[in-house]
C-alpha cells in the first residue's frame, strides 16, 4: 500500500515508530492549511517559521511516544496557536533605534491641570511594562535608547 493511501492515524502510528516518510506525508498533507492559519496571526513573525516550529513540536512529541493518535490537523493547529501565543508574548525584536529621542525639558510650558495629568497617567499605565520603562528612561531620565538594551534585557 502506498504511503499516500494511508489515513492520518496510520501515518501517526508509523511516524511514532520512527518512519520519517510517514511524517513527511503528514507534513505535505497539512502544511498548506497550517500556513493559511499562521498567516492569520499577527505579530508572530514569519508564518513559515511558525508552521515549521509547530511541525517540529509535533514531531518531538511523537518521538517521545506522545502526541496525537488521530485528528492530526486539530493537534497541529492547537500547537500552532500555542506557539503563536508564545511568540506574541516575547518582546518585539525591533531595534531600540525606533524609540524616539528623549523629550527635552520645556520649562516655559504651563503646569498641566489635573484632568490632563490624569489622562497622561492613564495612557502611561495602559502601556506594557517594557514600554513604560522605555518611556520613563528616555523622557524622565533623559537616557538614550541604545543605553536601554542592557537595562531592559533586550
Amino acid at each position: 500500500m502506498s504511503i499516500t493511501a494511508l489515513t492520518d492515524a496510520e501515518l501517526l502510528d508509523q511516524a511514532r515508530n520512527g518512519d520519517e516518510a510517514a511524517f513527511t506525508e503528514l507534513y505535505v498533507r497539512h502544511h498548506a492549511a497550517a500556513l493559511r492559519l499562521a498567516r492569520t496571526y499577527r505579530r508572530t513573525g514569519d508564518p513559515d517559521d511558525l508552521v515549521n516550529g509547530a511541525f517540529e513540536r509535533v514531531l518531538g512529541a511523537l518521538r517521545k511516544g506522545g502526541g496525537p493518535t488521530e485528528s492530526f490537523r486539530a493537534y497541529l493547529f492547537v500547537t500552532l496557536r500555542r506557539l503563536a501565543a508564545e511568540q506574541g508574548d516575547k518582546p518585539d525584536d525591533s531595534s531600540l533605534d525606533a524609540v524616539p529621542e528623549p523629550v527635552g525639558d520645556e520649562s516655559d510650558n504651563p503646569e498641566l491641570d489635573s484632568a490632563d495629568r490624569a489622562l497622561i497617567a492613564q495612557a502611561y499605565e495602559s502601556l506594557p511594562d517594557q514600554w513604560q520603562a522605555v518611556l520613563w528612561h528616555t523622557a524622565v531620565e533623559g537616557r538614550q535608547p541604545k543605553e536601554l538594551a542592557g537595562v531592559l534585557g533586550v
Side-chain angles (χ1 to χ4, degrees), residues 25-128:
E25 177 60 24
L26 288 167
Y27 182 90
V28 168
R29 286 183 188 181
H30 300 284
H31 181 267
L35 190 56
R36 281 191 303 272
L37 177 62
R39 287 181 179 141
T40 66
Y41 295 122
R42 302 288 184 238
R43 298 178 42 213
T44 56
D46 183 39
D48 286 314
D49 290 344
L50 187 61
V51 169
N52 289 334
F55 273 103
E56 286 175 15
R57 284 194 180 183
V58 173
L59 179 59
L62 290 172
R63 286 183 174 163
K64 292 176 184 174
T69 55
E70 52 187 48
S71 302
F72 177 79
R73 185 173 286 193
Y75 190 95
L76 176 67
F77 282 7
V78 168
T79 304
L80 185 64
R81 184 184 74 222
R82 287 181 180 160
L83 187 59
E86 288 171 14
Q87 290 183 2
D89 289 342
K90 290 181 183 176
D92 188 12
D93 288 340
S94 62
S95 170
L96 288 177
D97 292 334
V99 177
E101 292 299 317
V103 177
D105 182 21
E106 305 244 353
S107 59
D108 58 338
N109 281 347
E111 185 74 23
L112 295 173
D113 64 20
S114 63
D116 287 338
R117 278 189 297 232
L119 184 62
I120 291 169
Q122 182 182 6
Y124 178 79
E125 290 170 357
S126 72
L127 292 171

